[in-house]
């Protein structure tokens, strides 16, 4: 089996490079296209379980006819349940055949272009993500600008939303588009900064190098410390970066709690108010494909790529007194089944998205901007500078000094944080008190009558 | 250069898929245009004016700030890839210049925070002084 696969790969390597490239691209795009309905089903089911409902569970249940003689006797008249898995596909087919209502006042060219522009980056984003150690098949293009390419393409996503909002010639769409442009832009900054810290620690923009870096021993430990892998989420700077990236990726994909561009209670449907039929579905698909790919980026950059757990099975198999065979088996399984582990991590990321949506209420717009610019950006910048200092100090004075630097950095960051709080006057918020019916009254806050009078005027 | 063939293939494939998706429903779906259907949606009311109007300058300001801060980081990407693998001498010089460079970033950030460029709540944006004459007339 493995020999046969190796021969197949050798034959594949001899094909013209453009054919190989197209096959690699198909291997990325087709799974995403097939998985998007699955993701939608998964979200609807999980969300309904979290809300004590059942969710879509009917479409796809069927019974094989009892009188068909072609079937083996055991299958005749047998019921099959697909747990509603075909629901999104049925919805998609219906949407294809619905009328494409184009309002008279829209800007025609942009109106047609915008959904395509929203879906395009979601597919093009995955070009540099490795799904396993098979260099012939999996990163569609293993270029040395991997992370930069990812950031560049993800920033194209703004166009689809803003142009969609503009083209509709509808006030709700326009507001949604504007909001989302400011939101995506703000969070992209912190996202770039958080990835910059990781790039600095890796010394390469190539995604495969990042995964290779995470297979090194944890915190550069020697001896039996080599058992563990140096996943970036387990290092102090990588942990901070990881949290920032996680928040930014939720904001970048316009998902709850950052789904202000499509806040339905104030903006109808936000930037896609005027879109119907498949054009609306294209926006929808773009969102889910982007969720998938951003989870993949998070898994690759912070969660050790295709490795299943942060353990060096190879080192264990060579050095352990017992169970060498088991560890060797785990090593080969980590390599052979790597795409499965990767997809498992992606599904964990999607679950996180859905969990967030079920848990958190939507943010207010000023809160959103405040989180992006006042918390995420300074934290990411300080983290980035701390990584640069750490690399310099450990190269100059040895790794012990490097570890000492992290303690100093913690103190400095805390002090700077307090300093920033004192410099930042913050918004003067109006004070309102609410008394719930039957409940305890909210604590009464002292209100300066002059300020209230000013605010009212 | 061959590594970029993959990107070319993926971008081409994505463009084809997007184009097909958008045009297919246009081809397949029925088309029955009525004046009510083709009017702009405004909660069932006849639309008041169109949306090609002025919008708050704040969005534009945030975009400018984004460009400023983002470009500052863009200059650093190439340095990030070489910093770790370089010689001690280069490291020392580049680290000091990095600190000076980042200090401009931080100073700019502190200034922007100080002038309340990120405040979006109504009490600051609807402050009578900022609205000017229009408030006093009404």
């Amino acid at each position: 089996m493995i020999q046969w696969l190796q021969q197949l790969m050798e034959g594949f390597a001899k094909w013209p490079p453009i054919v190989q490239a197209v096959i690699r691209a198909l291997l990325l795009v087709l799974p995403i296209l097939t998985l998007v309905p699955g993701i939608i089903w998964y979200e609807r089911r999980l969300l309904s379980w979290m809300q004590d409902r059942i969710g879509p569970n009917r479409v796809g249940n069927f019974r094989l006819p009892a009188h068909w003689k072609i079937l083996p006797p055991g299958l005749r008249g047998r019921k099959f349940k697909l747990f509603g898995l075909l629901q999104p596909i049925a919805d998609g087919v219906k949407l294809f055949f619905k009328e494409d209502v184009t309002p008279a006042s829209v800007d025609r060219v942009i109106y047609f272009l915008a959904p395509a522009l929203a879906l395009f980056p979601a597919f093009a984003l995955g070009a540099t993500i490795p799904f396993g150690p098979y260099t012939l098949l999996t990163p569609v293009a293993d270029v040395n600008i991997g992370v930069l390419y990812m950031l560049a393409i993800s920033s194209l996503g703004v166009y689809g939303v803003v142009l969609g909002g503009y083209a509709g010639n509808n006030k709700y769409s326009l507001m949604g588009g504007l909001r989302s442009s400011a939101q995506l832009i703000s969070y992209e900054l912190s996202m770039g900064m958080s990835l910059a810290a990781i790039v600095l620690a890796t010394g390469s923009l190539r995604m495969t190098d990042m995964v290779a870096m995470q297979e090194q021993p944890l915190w550069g430990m020697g001896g039996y410390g080599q058992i563990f892998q140096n996943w970036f989420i387990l290092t102090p700077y990588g942990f901070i970066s990881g949290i920032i990236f996680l928040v930014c990726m939720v904001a970048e994909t316009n998902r709850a709690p950052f789904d202000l561009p499509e806040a339905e209670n104030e903006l109808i449907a936000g930037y896609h108010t005027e879109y119907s039929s498949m054009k609306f579905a294209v926006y929808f698909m773009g969102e889910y494909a982007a969720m998938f790919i951003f989870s993949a980026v998070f898994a690759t950059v912070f969660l050790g790529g295709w490795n299943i757990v942060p353990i060096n099975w190879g080192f264990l198999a060579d050095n352990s007194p017992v169970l060498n065979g088991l560890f060797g088996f785990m090593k080969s399984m980590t390599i052979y089944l790597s795409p499965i582990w990767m997809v498992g991590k992606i599904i964990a990321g999607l679950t996180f998205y859905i969990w967030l949506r079920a848990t958190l209420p939507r943010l207010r717009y000023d809160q959103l901007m405040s989180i992006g610019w006042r918390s995420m950006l300074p934290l990411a910048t300080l983290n980035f500078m701390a990584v640069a200092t750490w690399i310099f100090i450990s190269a100059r004075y040895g790794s012990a000094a490097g570890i000492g630097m992290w303690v100093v950095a913690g103190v400095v960051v805390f002090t700077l944080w307090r300093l920033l709080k004192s410099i930042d006057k913050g918004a003067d918020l109006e004070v309102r008190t609410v008394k719930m019916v039957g409940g305890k009254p909210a604590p009464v806050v002292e209100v300066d009558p002059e300020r209230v009078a000013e605010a009212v005027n | 250069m061959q590594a970029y063939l993959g990107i070319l293939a993926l971008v081409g494939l994505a463009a084809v898929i997007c184009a097909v998706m958008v045009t297919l429903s246009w081809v397949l779906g029925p088309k029955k245009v009525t004046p009510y259907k083709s009017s702009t949606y405004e909660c069932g009311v006849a639309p008041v004016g169109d949306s090609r109007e002025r919008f708050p300058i704040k969005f534009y300001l945030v975009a400018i700030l984004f460009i400023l801060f983002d470009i500052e980081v863009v200059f650093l990407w190439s340095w990030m890839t070489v910093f770790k693998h370089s010689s001690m001498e280069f490291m020392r010089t580049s680290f000091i210049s990095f600190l000076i460079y980042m200090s401009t970033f931080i100073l700019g950030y502190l200034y922007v925070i100080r002038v309340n460029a990120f405040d979006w709540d109504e009490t600051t944006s609807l402050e009578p002084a900022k609205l000017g004459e229009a408030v006093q007339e009404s």
Side-chain angles (χ1 to χ4, degrees), chain A residues 35 42 292 295 342-354:
Chain A
L35 274 175
Y42 181 57
F292 183 87
S295 303
M342 186 72 183
V343 171
K345 284 178 188 175
I346 291 172
I347 290 174
L350 293 171
T351 313
F352 173 77
Y353 266 114
I354 298 162

Side-chain angles (χ1 to χ4, degrees), chain A residues 172-190:
Chain A
Y172 299 113
S173 314
L174 185 71
M175 277 320 289
L178 284 175
R179 275 186 181 190
S180 123
S181 71
Q183 171 188 337
L184 294 184
I185 274 171
S186 309
Y187 280 83
E188 208 173 285
L189 211 54
S190 339

Side-chain angles (χ1 to χ4, degrees), chain A residues 29 99-100 104-105 141 166 169-172 185 201 203 274 278 369 373-374 396 420 423 427-428 432, chain B residues 3 25 30 32 37-38 40-43 48 51-52 66 81 84-85 88 109 114 118-119 121-123:
Chain A
V29 167
E99 182 179 357
D100 203 345
S105 56
Y166 171 79
N169 202 355
N170 180 327
K171 282 146 204 152
Y172 299 113
I185 274 171
E274 290 296 345
M278 201 59 199
M369 279 300 171
W373 285 96
R374 288 219 182 84
R396 181 81 180 76
L420 203 67
I423 286 177
D428 296 337
R432 292 169 193 167
Chain B
S25 68
K32 294 187 192 95
K37 216 192 267 174
S38 61
T40 309
Y41 179 77
E42 223 163 274
C43 302
V48 183
S51 70
R52 303 278 182 267
F66 163 74
T81 56
K84 206 184 163 191
H85 314 293
M88 197 59 231
Y109 177 78
R114 183 70 188 167
F118 307 131
D119 281 351
D121 68 292
E122 55 196 25
T123 41

Side-chain angles (χ1 to χ4, degrees), chain A residues 92-378:
Chain A
V93 170
K94 196 186 80 173
L95 275 170
F96 259 119
F97 290 100
K98 283 284 170 189
E99 182 179 357
D100 203 345
V101 180
T102 311
S105 56
V106 297
D107 193 326
R108 285 268 167 160
V109 179
I110 301 177
Y111 184 77
F112 272 80
L113 208 61
L117 271 176
L119 184 61
F120 171 77
F123 281 125
L125 206 57
T128 52
I129 298 167
F131 278 77
Y134 318 115
T135 43
L136 273 177
L137 287 179
T138 169
V140 174
D142 192 14
V143 288
N144 53 5
I145 51 158
V147 174
L148 206 56
Y149 171 82
M150 200 279 287
L151 282 172
I153 294 289
S154 81
S155 64
L156 282 184
V158 182
Y159 284 110
V161 173
V162 172
L163 290 182
Y166 171 79
N169 202 355
N170 180 327
K171 282 146 204 152
Y172 299 113
S173 314
L174 185 71
M175 277 320 289
L178 284 175
R179 275 186 181 190
S180 123
S181 71
Q183 171 188 337
L184 294 184
I185 274 171
S186 309
Y187 280 83
E188 208 173 285
L189 211 54
S190 339
M191 193 166 164
M193 266 299 191
S194 73
L195 284 175
I198 300 297
V199 169
L200 201 54
T202 317
S204 168
L205 286 161
R206 201 187 290 264
M207 289 273 196
T208 42
D209 281 357
M210 287 191 166
V211 178
M213 179 78 188
Q214 294 181 72
E215 285 169 346
Q216 304 290 315
L218 181 64
W219 306 330
M221 282 194 289
Y224 278 97
Q226 292 172 50
I227 292 171
F228 302 107
Q229 289 184 346
N230 189 30
W231 287 15
F232 280 126
I233 199 85
L234 302 177
T235 59
Y237 56 90
F239 183 74
I240 299 173
S241 282
I243 299 290
I244 294 168
F245 185 85
L246 208 59
V247 174
C248 291
M249 95 185 183
V250 177
E252 285 281 302
T253 41
N254 283 334
R255 295 280 303 178
F258 299 106
D259 56 349
L260 280 124
E262 37 196 320
E264 63 264 25
N265 42 13
E266 33 195 289
L267 289 180
I268 317 296
Y271 54 87
H272 51 59
T273 305
E274 290 296 345
Y275 284 93
S276 55
S277 172
M278 201 59 199
K279 287 209 197 63
F280 164 74
V282 164
Y283 270 117
F284 209 63
M285 256 181 81
E287 187 181 316
Y288 283 82
M291 274 164 70
F292 183 87
I293 289 294
F294 270 109
S295 303
V297 172
F298 184 74
T300 308
V301 177
F302 296 100
L303 295 182
W306 60 77
N307 293 290
I308 174 171
V309 277
I311 289 174
N312 267 324
W313 297 111
F315 178 81
L316 263 181
D318 292 343
N319 293 292
S320 155
V322 286
L323 295 174
N324 305 42
L326 177 69
F327 296 141
F329 174 74
M330 283 306 295
K331 184 192 175 189
S332 51
M333 278 305 110
T334 305
I335 291 171
Y336 291 143
L337 302 180
S338 50
I340 295 180
W341 310 138
M342 186 72 183
V343 171
K345 284 178 188 175
I346 291 172
I347 290 174
L350 293 171
T351 313
F352 173 77
Y353 266 114
I354 298 162
W355 199 346
L356 272 187
R357 185 176 164 186
T359 311
L360 294 178
R362 189 176 292 132
L363 290 177
R364 226 169 45 208
Y365 198 74
D366 63 310
Q367 290 173 330
L368 172 98
M369 279 300 171
S370 180
I371 290 173
W373 285 96
R374 288 219 182 84
S375 307
M376 292 291 147
L377 184 61

